[in-house]
Amino acid sequence: MKLNIDRKDLSQPDPYVISDGGRYYMYSTGADGIQLYISDNMIDWKYSGLCRKSEREKEYWAPSVIKYGSLFYMYYSSMEKDEVDVHKEQIRVAVCDRPDGEFILLGNLTVPFSIDPHVIKNSEGLYIIYSINDYQAERAGTLIVIDKMISPTQTANDPKVAVRATLDEEIFMRDRFFKGQHWHTIEGGFYFRDGNYHYIMYSGNCYMNENYFIGYSVAYGDTDDLTSLTFRKYPDENTYCPFKRKGNGEEGTGHNSVLIENGHYYMFYHARVAGAPASDDDTRRAYMAEIKPENGILKSV
């Protein structure tokens, strides 16, 4: 379902949705700052402006927000204003006393290249999953790691690999940096738990490519220590079986978050209208679909 956004001129890449006080807040990527949209019903959204921006930063990618105590912490990546290399993107953390206010920078959380953070709060404390590059792997490219957090503003700096590329369908670009090295991408990780099943949803490939898709990995264990789990792609490491990809009038489907309410799982993701005329503008829009986890398998509702 394509969401109703009051600003038809704006795109909503990498939508991340939370609920607080009976309202819904969606944060999304923006070149000049983090975009904020607000809704009372998850379907109709009003643009509320940029909730995080700075004269020193640009290309604000993939924000996520958690409430910790009485404060809201935002995690996102960006580049310095005069930087031209996107591999200088790094994760930063900002804070606000409400979900719709101006988020103030607290500092850098990780070193470049690091993108697509998702911070999880559970009985063991805080954990973060995010994406980094591995130039030496057999399938070189971007992968997802997981790390413990000492506080909302500091990681343990001991990331473990959670999901890495294993398929040709995950190739972002062939011969990207030199002949013979095809660059793979696994990004946009989002974690949630259902019973003793632990899921990491992710996006593979490139959002402009034919095979861009949402997949997921699963781990099983009666624990909230996420660094102790071993995640395996569904259905296995060598089978291309996207949970969601182009179809039903959508293309470029990917980079999702999940909002769990009253036992229901709502997946928010971006997509483009299939067959739309080529444009230099970012035409990714926010969509929503209900999903259901059942014994380690995700299903569409």
Side-chain angles (χ1 to χ4, degrees):
M1 173 192 300
K2 187 178 180 182
L3 300 180
N4 298 326
I5 310 289
D6 67 338
R7 288 285 299 272
K8 305 303 182 185
D9 58 319
L10 297 177
S11 61
Q12 300 85 40
D14 316 323
Y16 189 97
V17 176
I18 68 170
S19 64
D20 184 72
R23 306 192 82 184
Y24 303 93
Y25 303 87
M26 178 168 62
Y27 308 87
S28 70
T29 289
D32 301 316
I34 301 297
Q35 300 182 75
L36 172 63
Y37 300 82
I38 302 175
S39 174
D40 292 320
N41 58 15
M42 288 195 292
I43 297 173
D44 304 298
W45 296 83
K46 292 184 177 181
Y47 179 60
S48 185
L50 300 178
C51 60
R52 169 66 198 149
K53 60 181 180 178
S54 167
E55 294 182 355
R56 297 180 56 184
E57 300 171 49
K58 66 178 180 181
E59 299 301 331
Y60 300 73
W61 290 0
S64 68
V65 174
I66 65 164
K67 187 176 185 179
Y68 190 78
S70 62
L71 298 175
F72 294 83
Y73 290 87
M74 173 183 286
Y75 302 87
Y76 67 99
S77 68
S78 67
M79 301 162 53
E80 297 296 323
K81 199 73 170 182
D82 58 353
E83 184 58 66
V84 295
D85 182 2
V86 295
H87 290 94
K88 296 300 183 181
E89 285 274 339
Q90 72 181 118
I91 296 172
R92 311 180 199 270
V93 55
V95 70
C96 188
D97 60 1
R98 63 181 198 269
D100 58 348
E102 179 183 0
F103 284 78
I104 305 302
L105 183 67
L106 294 176
N108 300 332
L109 191 70
T110 57
V111 299
F113 169 75
S114 52
I115 61 170
D116 297 356
H118 176 214
V119 172
I120 302 105
K121 178 176 63 174
N122 65 26
S123 65
E124 293 287 334
L126 296 173
Y127 291 84
I128 182 172
I129 63 173
Y130 61 99
S131 288
I132 61 173
N133 287 341
D134 185 346
Y135 294 87
Q136 305 305 319
E138 180 179 354
R139 288 185 179 270
T142 305
L143 53 85
I144 294 173
V145 296
I146 187 166
D147 200 0
K148 186 82 165 66
M149 296 188 71
I150 298 170
S151 74
T153 59
Q154 184 180 3
T155 73
N157 196 27
D158 186 23
K160 307 288 195 305
V161 174
V163 190
R164 67 164 64 246
T166 58
L167 303 168
D168 285 351
E169 288 86 356
E170 294 161 348
I171 294 175
F172 176 98
M173 182 184 296
R174 294 183 180 274
D175 307 314
R176 186 179 188 188
F177 295 114
F178 57 83
K179 187 71 174 178
Q181 187 194 63
H182 305 323
W183 191 259
H184 301 67
T185 294
I186 299 290
E187 62 183 7
F190 187 96
Y191 165 90
F192 65 90
R193 178 177 179 175
D194 179 63
N196 288 336
Y197 288 97
H198 305 257
Y199 300 83
I200 293 180
M201 303 188 75
Y202 59 86
S203 295
N205 206 289
C206 170
Y207 78 95
M208 293 298 292
N209 290 348
E210 173 76 13
N211 287 324
Y212 191 58
F213 69 98
I214 295 173
Y216 65 95
S217 288
V218 186
Y220 184 84
D222 184 14
T223 180
D224 272 338
D225 178 6
L226 304 189
T227 59
S228 71
L229 295 169
T230 299
F231 288 87
R232 302 293 186 192
K233 288 179 177 174
Y234 178 84
D236 58 64
E237 304 294 302
N238 301 308
T239 302
Y240 176 60
C241 183
F243 178 69
K244 191 165 188 60
R245 68 182 302 267
K246 66 177 295 183
N248 298 319
E250 305 170 14
E251 62 185 18
T253 53
H255 204 118
N256 71 286
S257 62
V258 177
L259 179 66
I260 305 172
E261 279 207 331
N262 301 318
H264 293 270
Y265 294 72
Y266 301 100
M267 179 179 75
F268 295 86
Y269 62 99
H270 67 231
R272 301 184 303 275
V273 175
S279 170
D280 291 333
D281 296 329
D282 192 336
T283 57
R284 288 174 287 178
R285 300 292 187 261
Y287 287 70
M288 180 183 73
E290 188 173 352
I291 64 176
K292 184 178 182 180
E294 286 188 355
N295 300 321
I297 299 174
L298 294 182
K299 300 180 178 181
S300 297
V301 175

